[in-house]
Amino acid sequence: MSRRVVRQSKFRHVFGQAAKADQAYEDIRVSKVTWDSSFCAVNPKFLAIIVEAGGGGAFIVLPLAKTGRVDKNYPLVTGHTAPVLDIDWCPHNDNVIASASDDTTIMVWQIPDYTPMRNITEPIITLEGHSKRVGILSWHPTARNVLLSAGGDNVIIIWNVGTGEVLLSLDDMHPDVIHSVCWNSNGSLLATTCKDKTLRIIDPRKGQVVARFAAHEGMRPMRAVFTRQGHIFTTGFTRMSQRELGLWDPNNFEEPVALQEMDTSNGVLLPFYDPDSSIVYLCGKGDSSIRYFEITDEPPFVHYLNTFSSKEPQRGMGFMPKRGLDVSKCEIARFYKLHERKCEPIIMTVPRKSDLFQDDLYPDTPGPEPALEADEWLSGQDAEPVLISLRDGYVPPKHRELRVTKRNILDVRPPSGPRRSQSASDAPLSQHTLETLLEEIKALRERVQAQEQRITALENMLCELVDGTD
């Protein structure tokens, strides 16, 4: 008689549980834009949600502790002239968030630790380079101030947010709409999926497609993420429109490591991967469940663990970085599920009897310090994330300002070409007038810098006062 052996795994009994009603965020008008992004971004300090807004695009940023009903006049982050399609928190500064919009621009915002009195309308910097809407944003995992954007013009641009410059532009690699972009752990490679059903592995600094293959046969959007083992996990559709997941070895795309059919729902499956536990969580837009799988080196390689089910369908989903979790409760993941009018935290827990810190559940995890500067990464250097221990919990650092240093346009002015004929009324400015203008520009620049320093000092004083009253 054969005896079935149960697979050993510390994550076999992970269970999901919705937070209590008073821990939810109520009365938020979640965006109704038809776009396959998560509409939500979260870090250990703030929760950001794309919301409905008249006359342009907006998102709301709430301190994590501000649960309950949100006032209808709560300040928003506004500035885009068309709907916001994607938002992403900087992994190296919890007060900095980037937003991408249908208006073809990317804006980077500094969020204060205190609640602002009015809408935030002035970004730190606006990045303009795409000719069509921008729907995908992703910060570099290890290099400071490096941000990736992908637009409807089928172009990927990598920016240095600290200077506002384009570091790299990947123009001719995708013949159709880009569905997703993902960095690997040290930011040396990209995995992209495209409407042409092709998954590409790209070395952005060389501007080369390292590998390409057709992962799923269906026409609907695919998603792809790198795993800890160096494999690529994908979600997509079969030719018969069944949802499907796959695991692929980048060195051998002839056969998948694993390929499983799921169901016949038409919602795109958004994969959220935790490299510390090697668990991937699948959240379908329009679904009312979260399915999770453990990826291992043992067949069948992608092991189904469980499903968290609820009654209400999800409009989007936020995924908390590991450093924002409550290690005292053996919490290994936390989601922020968007309903039509609210956001509900969902907590994934490993049941343990001991109250001691569980080393096996919480290996050292990426912290907020970058491993490289933007110029170092661009020159060819790679570095793994700087890790921190969660043994004593994680306390987010206080407000850190992102400083943008723009290059002087006079230093990079192109050489003048052949001069055209000029009439008397079109005569060049005199040397005296030019010197006067330059002096005035210099004086104004010094005045603006002094005002910015004063604003920063006042904001720091306000933060200290707020901390003192908590």
Side-chain angles (χ1 to χ4, degrees):
M1 188 171 102
S2 64
R3 182 177 161 195
R4 186 178 178 186
V5 178
V6 176
R7 186 179 69 90
Q8 294 295 315
S9 170
K10 55 178 171 267
F11 301 113
R12 206 154 53 87
H13 301 292
V14 172
F15 68 95
Q17 189 172 21
K20 295 179 180 177
D22 61 352
Q23 295 300 307
Y25 305 83
E26 303 274 357
D27 216 16
I28 298 171
R29 297 188 303 147
V30 177
S31 174
K32 296 178 181 176
V33 174
T34 53
W35 187 254
D36 287 325
S37 72
S38 59
F39 286 6
C40 180
V42 62
N43 69 19
K45 277 187 174 183
F46 299 107
L47 168 68
I49 301 169
I50 302 174
V51 296
E52 285 287 293
F59 58 97
I60 190 170
V61 176
L62 299 167
L64 283 187
K66 191 172 179 59
T67 56
R69 188 171 298 279
V70 177
D71 189 283
K72 65 178 181 178
N73 295 318
Y74 193 90
L76 303 177
V77 181
T78 62
H80 288 288
T81 57
V84 175
L85 301 179
D86 198 14
I87 49 177
D88 196 26
W89 286 105
C90 176
H92 307 127
N93 189 334
D94 287 339
N95 292 79
V96 172
I97 188 170
S99 60
S101 170
D102 217 336
D103 65 8
T104 76
T105 67
I106 302 110
M107 293 184 178
V108 181
W109 309 83
Q110 184 99 34
I111 306 300
D113 285 337
Y114 58 88
T115 301
M117 300 300 293
R118 57 181 65 88
N119 288 351
I120 300 175
T121 58
E122 294 295 327
I124 310 171
I125 192 167
T126 300
L127 306 173
E128 298 176 323
H130 289 280
S131 60
K132 294 186 179 178
R133 66 182 179 183
V134 187
I136 298 171
L137 290 175
S138 182
W139 291 89
H140 193 284
T142 62
R144 188 196 308 272
N145 293 341
V146 176
L147 175 67
L148 176 149
S149 63
D153 50 8
N154 310 336
V155 174
I156 292 175
I157 299 179
I158 298 174
W159 309 82
N160 181 347
V161 173
T163 62
E165 295 177 317
V166 174
L167 295 179
L168 299 164
S169 182
L170 309 177
D171 297 346
D172 301 318
M173 298 186 177
H174 300 88
D176 214 325
V177 176
I178 300 167
H179 286 149
S180 72
V181 182
C182 174
W183 297 95
N184 66 349
S185 62
N186 66 2
S188 61
L189 294 174
L190 298 171
T192 70
T193 61
C194 179
K195 194 176 179 181
D196 67 354
K197 306 187 203 176
T198 302
L199 188 150
R200 292 170 175 82
I201 311 299
I202 297 172
D203 185 329
R205 288 169 296 191
K206 292 181 179 177
Q208 295 178 354
V209 177
V210 179
R212 70 180 76 203
F213 70 103
H216 302 280
E217 296 180 337
M219 291 297 297
R220 290 189 54 73
M222 276 194 299
R223 291 287 186 274
V225 292
F226 281 97
T227 71
R228 184 178 65 191
Q229 296 88 348
H231 292 157
I232 296 171
F233 180 88
T234 62
T235 63
F237 292 80
T238 67
R239 192 175 296 172
M240 303 302 293
S241 295
Q242 283 190 303
R243 293 198 292 196
E244 190 175 46
L245 62 82
L247 187 66
W248 309 83
D249 182 352
N251 300 315
N252 179 19
F253 286 134
E254 297 297 323
E255 289 290 330
V257 177
L259 196 64
Q260 297 180 20
E261 290 186 2
M262 305 277 289
D263 53 32
T264 55
S265 178
N266 62 359
V268 175
L269 284 170
L270 305 179
F272 296 93
Y273 178 70
D274 174 19
D276 295 343
S277 61
S278 202
I279 294 177
V280 63
Y281 302 85
L282 301 184
C283 309
K285 292 196 87 169
D287 289 6
S288 55
S289 63
I290 302 173
R291 276 173 280 202
Y292 38 107
F293 300 77
E294 185 179 2
I295 300 174
T296 71
D297 296 325
E298 305 168 0
F301 305 107
V302 180
H303 306 269
Y304 171 75
L305 291 175
N306 209 336
T307 299
F308 168 81
S309 297
S310 59
K311 294 179 181 179
E312 298 291 327
Q314 53 228 18
R315 299 280 297 276
M317 194 71 74
F319 186 51
M320 174 68 79
K322 206 59 170 282
R323 55 194 172 91
L325 303 181
D326 187 347
V327 298
S328 66
K329 296 180 180 176
C330 295
E331 180 184 9
I332 63 164
R334 190 190 311 154
F335 291 90
Y336 287 77
K337 174 182 173 179
L338 299 186
H339 299 247
E340 190 172 346
R341 298 282 296 189
K342 74 172 183 177
C343 176
E344 175 186 41
I346 296 170
I347 298 163
M348 300 289 179
T349 307
V350 176
R352 292 280 171 95
K353 293 181 180 178
S354 173
D355 292 333
L356 299 176
F357 178 75
Q358 307 293 311
D359 298 82
D360 59 329
L361 297 183
Y362 301 105
D364 289 354
T365 195
E369 291 302 318
L372 294 170
E373 296 298 327
D375 294 340
E376 293 173 332
W377 176 79
L378 186 62
S379 68
Q381 294 186 44
D382 290 321
E384 294 299 321
V386 178
L387 304 180
I388 60 171
S389 171
L390 298 179
R391 176 174 290 276
D392 299 319
Y394 173 77
V395 178
K398 287 192 176 182
H399 180 94
R400 292 192 298 176
E401 186 177 1
L402 171 64
R403 296 193 179 277
V404 176
T405 308
K406 289 193 175 182
R407 302 282 194 253
N408 187 342
I409 60 170
L410 296 177
D411 296 339
V412 295
R413 184 174 55 187
S416 56
R419 297 184 64 175
R420 59 187 176 87
S421 59
Q422 294 175 320
S423 64
S425 62
D426 203 22
L429 293 170
S430 68
Q431 185 67 27
H432 174 74
T433 308
L434 183 61
E435 289 175 357
T436 305
L437 285 173
L438 289 173
E439 284 295 324
E440 187 174 351
I441 290 170
K442 182 179 177 182
L444 285 171
R445 186 174 286 130
E446 290 174 352
R447 195 183 307 168
V448 168
Q449 288 175 347
Q451 290 174 341
E452 286 179 345
Q453 290 172 359
R454 178 60 178 160
I455 290 170
T456 301
L458 290 172
E459 286 181 341
N460 290 336
M461 290 170 61
L462 186 56
C463 289
E464 291 173 5
L465 287 172
V466 170
D467 291 341
T469 56
D470 288 345

